[in-house]
Amino acid sequence: MRAEDPDKKVAGRIWSTEVVIGGGVGQRPHLSLRLIVSTTEADFSVEPHVPGTILQMIEAPGLIRGSRDILKIPRTINTENDAEDLCDHLEDPERRLPVFVLVVPQGQGSTPLIDDVSVAKAVAGMARVVRIPEEQTWVLTKRFGKYRSVFSAGVRAYMPGFSATDDPYGHRLFLGETLRDAAGAGACAAALRNLAAETSISTTRLGKEVLDFSSVRTTSRRLKAQVQSDRAAPDAELLEAAQSLIDSLDKEVTEKNTEIDGYVELSEAAEARALAAEQENRALLFKVRQLKDALAKGGETPTAEPPLPLEWGEFVDWLDETYPDRVLLTPSARRMLKSPEYENVELVARSIAWLATEQHETRVNGGGSLRDVTVENGIINASCGGDTYPTDWKGRRYNVDWHIKTNGNSRDPKRCLRIYYFWETETQQTIIDHIPSHRKTGMS
């Protein structure tokens, strides 16, 4: 079955839900479901959520994955035996769904610091959400060690394939201290939803675990044509069946080509993430080696920063060397710095230094508002307001909601400075997405 539903809020956006149910006689049936969107939007962005069909099926007749019921609410760990069962499930090599374990801190009642009810409903069938009281987390620590456990009101995403000897960094941990404000809690909830959706797409094989509607339709029409041929149906019926099969094949090819384009975009995004991670890693390694060399020579660690760059050709290397752990560039921002028109390279560098020092310390230590703060004469730091826009960074969606800008209304690219950025709460880093010119929008 395929059902198409125009979006109720966005014109031109159409959601298609494909449902395939099948199995052998006398066996429990298997279900696969695929949600597809067709849109003309240049910058498509939504928070992932399973379609209502899944939630209805969970209610009745119920769904099972890997011998465990699928729920649309968080499962609660109440006893030590429950915690041991959770550990067994996390280490199960047959587990295919991520498990999001959320600690309920003491004195918090029965709820964690994020809205896990909404998360559980959004990812039902793509991931499992589990609440564990803080006093029961010692069971996970005993089984997996402190680096693979979850603690102190935190949240951890245990991916399929987890074991007690696994790399802990492959299973994302959100510290409780970052979840105590609304922004941090909301960012964590959004990250979990995106992680569930990304895992579902990347680990589910189309044509194996999930059957697409177009393939089933073509198979059905091919079977019908074969049956008519076997019973020597009249030529008119055979011609109609053959034409129906040809039409189905044409539609299937068109849909497959569209899907290929989508997978190419996903591949390019993954390549960009890998490149960004590699660049960040090289910059950090350089800093570590610099510190080790200074210590090996018996001298003090270097505290003097490299001189500010005066040419664009020096800028990226200067930034990577000076602030590798504080200010980072997205791949698109790096491309913009190859030959920008803006002339005052040193001013841009001083603005970056402000982001890495005063802005960074204010955010980390809670030193007050950053809205309309003067960076230096004629340059201010301001919220993007209505010009806020989404961007992808290392596979996650963020809102670019701040920018450093020159006062005045000039749009001359040689004199108009804009540095668009966002703050990554988890890593406490400033991520620059657009630099050094004014960003062109539909209004500009």
Side-chain angles (χ1 to χ4, degrees):
M1 178 185 72
R2 173 189 281 170
E4 295 188 347
D5 182 27
D7 195 286
K8 297 174 178 59
K9 296 182 179 179
V10 181
R13 182 191 292 178
I14 300 175
W15 297 95
S16 299
T17 304
E18 297 183 353
V19 183
V20 178
I21 301 176
V25 176
Q27 299 176 351
R28 176 179 289 154
H30 289 262
L31 163 74
S32 71
L33 184 144
R34 192 163 69 132
L35 182 63
I36 308 167
V37 62
S38 173
T39 181
T40 57
E41 298 164 85
D43 190 7
F44 172 72
S45 176
V46 295
E47 286 194 340
H49 197 296
V50 298
T53 306
I54 285 289
L55 303 178
Q56 294 169 356
M57 290 181 175
I58 289 172
E59 285 288 339
L63 298 176
I64 294 173
R65 182 73 188 268
S67 77
R68 291 179 181 249
D69 290 341
I70 290 176
L71 305 176
K72 62 178 183 179
I73 59 173
R75 176 194 169 201
T76 300
I77 301 298
N78 293 311
T79 66
E80 183 180 337
N81 285 337
D82 290 343
E84 290 287 358
D85 177 70
L86 171 62
C87 292
D88 292 340
H89 180 51
L90 294 179
E91 288 194 292
D92 184 356
E94 299 300 318
R95 176 169 66 89
R96 295 293 179 264
L97 299 182
V99 178
F100 303 150
V101 181
L102 304 89
V103 177
V104 179
Q106 294 180 351
Q108 182 73 16
S110 59
T111 58
L113 296 180
I114 73 168
D115 183 2
D116 62 335
V117 174
S118 295
V119 172
K121 187 175 180 180
V123 304
M126 296 191 297
R128 302 184 188 275
V129 178
V130 179
R131 294 177 177 177
I132 183 169
E134 191 169 0
E135 56 269 23
Q136 294 291 351
T137 57
W138 69 268
V139 178
L140 277 70
T141 304
K142 182 180 178 181
R143 284 276 295 265
F144 308 139
K146 64 180 181 179
Y147 294 114
R148 298 171 186 83
S149 184
V150 60
F151 42 82
S152 300
V155 175
R156 187 153 217 156
Y158 289 94
M159 305 305 290
F162 170 80
S163 72
T165 59
D166 210 2
D167 176 9
Y169 297 103
H171 307 273
R172 193 173 177 188
L173 175 66
F174 300 84
L175 298 176
E177 61 191 44
T178 67
L179 307 179
R180 296 192 182 278
D181 65 88
C188 174
L192 294 178
R193 290 170 63 158
N194 282 305
L195 181 58
E198 291 163 4
T199 304
S200 177
I201 292 173
S202 62
T203 62
T204 303
R205 295 174 298 171
L206 191 61
K208 298 294 184 179
E209 291 92 353
V210 172
L211 300 180
D212 58 296
F213 176 83
S214 60
S215 296
V216 175
R217 177 185 57 200
T218 298
T219 301
S220 174
R221 291 181 179 177
R222 182 181 288 111
L223 178 61
K224 181 179 179 181
Q226 184 63 49
V227 168
Q228 290 179 328
S229 176
D230 290 345
R231 67 179 180 86
D235 290 346
E237 289 186 21
L238 293 174
L239 182 61
E240 181 182 357
Q243 186 60 52
S244 177
L245 177 58
I246 291 171
D247 292 342
S248 181
L249 288 168
D250 286 341
K251 290 179 181 178
E252 185 174 355
V253 169
T254 300
E255 292 176 9
K256 294 296 184 185
N257 286 335
T258 302
E259 289 174 7
I260 289 172
D261 291 340
Y263 289 129
V264 168
E265 290 180 5
L266 289 174
S267 176
E268 290 174 346
E271 186 176 350
R273 292 197 299 270
L275 179 60
E278 183 179 349
Q279 289 167 335
E280 181 183 356
N281 184 55
R282 283 202 300 265
L284 290 172
L285 283 174
F286 174 82
K287 200 73 171 181
V288 168
R289 287 167 183 162
Q290 189 181 42
L291 295 172
K292 283 185 174 180
D293 288 344
L295 291 172
K297 294 175 182 176
E300 295 183 357
T301 57
T303 56
E305 295 177 353
L308 296 177
L310 302 178
E311 303 289 340
W312 284 119
E314 307 168 350
F315 188 89
V316 173
D317 288 342
W318 166 82
L319 175 54
D320 288 344
E321 179 182 347
T322 311
Y323 305 115
D325 57 336
R326 293 197 174 194
V327 180
L328 305 177
L329 299 167
T330 64
S332 60
R334 285 180 179 271
R335 289 192 294 270
M336 293 171 192
L337 288 168
K338 289 184 177 179
S339 56
E341 293 184 61
Y342 189 78
E343 296 177 337
N344 195 338
V345 180
E346 190 175 0
L347 174 58
V348 179
R350 291 199 302 269
S351 300
I352 297 293
W354 181 87
L355 286 172
T357 53
E358 294 185 38
Q359 185 255 175
H360 185 89
E361 296 302 324
T362 298
R363 290 188 184 274
V364 171
N365 299 319
S369 174
L370 290 165
R371 186 182 296 272
D372 298 330
V373 171
T374 299
V375 177
E376 61 177 71
N377 187 33
I379 307 294
I380 65 171
N381 182 71
S383 169
C384 289
D387 290 334
T388 296
Y389 67 94
T391 193
D392 291 319
W393 170 247
K394 293 187 177 180
R396 301 167 194 164
R397 180 56 60 100
Y398 296 90
N399 283 326
V400 182
D401 50 359
W402 290 92
H403 58 348
I404 289 177
K405 64 177 185 175
T406 48
N407 279 326
N409 298 319
S410 173
R411 295 293 181 93
D412 182 354
K414 295 181 179 179
R415 298 185 294 111
C416 178
L417 172 63
R418 291 291 189 278
I419 302 175
Y420 296 84
Y421 70 92
F422 63 90
W423 175 255
E424 215 291 358
T425 304
E426 184 182 348
T427 60
Q428 297 188 327
Q429 293 173 319
T430 298
I431 314 299
I432 296 174
D433 186 65
H434 192 102
I435 182 175
S437 61
H438 195 286
R439 181 174 177 267
K440 293 182 179 180
T441 65
M443 296 295 291
S444 59

